[in-house]
Amino acid sequence: MMEQYSRHVLVCTGGFCSPDRRGRALYALLASLLQREGLLFGPTRVKRGETPCLGVCSAGPIVVVYPEGVWYADVTPELLERIVVEHLKGGKVIEERVFHRLQAE
């Protein structure tokens, strides 16, 4: 049986929203930040994934956090670090940087 994840993070690495490959760089940085913050193993572990497109091509790179359904836009390495420390580890959404939020059923 697969061990549970506390959250799933998707990073858009497509060429339309970040033609300079910023999304790919964020995806690589995410791995080291998750490791640094102790979020790769145990009950708080976070699954990371990449997607070629989230359908928003003007505000990338985009980072999405589930199960909250929170979308962050124009993500920089500095914002990604805040997302990992404050949201993924601390459980607090960075409200002033939320671009979109999926409505709960």
Side-chain angles (χ1 to χ4, degrees):
M1 188 176 112
M2 189 172 111
E3 188 180 342
Q4 290 295 312
Y5 289 98
S6 66
R7 289 189 175 84
H8 189 180
V9 178
L10 287 173
V11 179
C12 184
T13 58
F16 289 108
C17 71
S18 56
D20 52 3
R21 299 178 66 80
R22 282 179 299 155
R24 302 245 9 120
L26 287 177
Y27 185 70
L29 176 60
L30 180 58
S32 61
L33 289 172
L34 291 175
Q35 183 171 18
R36 186 191 83 187
E37 297 299 324
L39 296 173
L40 291 179
F41 302 100
T44 61
R45 78 184 188 141
V46 173
K47 171 77 174 154
R48 77 184 175 119
E50 59 180 315
T51 178
C53 186
L54 286 165
V56 183
C57 298
S58 60
I62 304 278
V63 172
V64 183
V65 179
Y66 289 104
E68 293 92 332
V70 168
W71 294 45
Y72 295 102
D74 294 313
V75 178
T76 61
E78 294 76 21
L79 177 55
L80 185 66
E81 184 167 13
R82 285 190 66 197
I83 292 168
V84 170
V85 173
E86 297 174 35
H87 188 161
L88 302 180
K89 190 172 187 177
K92 186 174 187 313
V93 174
I94 305 166
E95 295 292 346
E96 73 273 14
R97 295 304 307 265
V98 172
F99 167 71
H100 177 70
R101 190 187 297 260
L102 296 181
Q103 300 303 315
E105 293 294 318

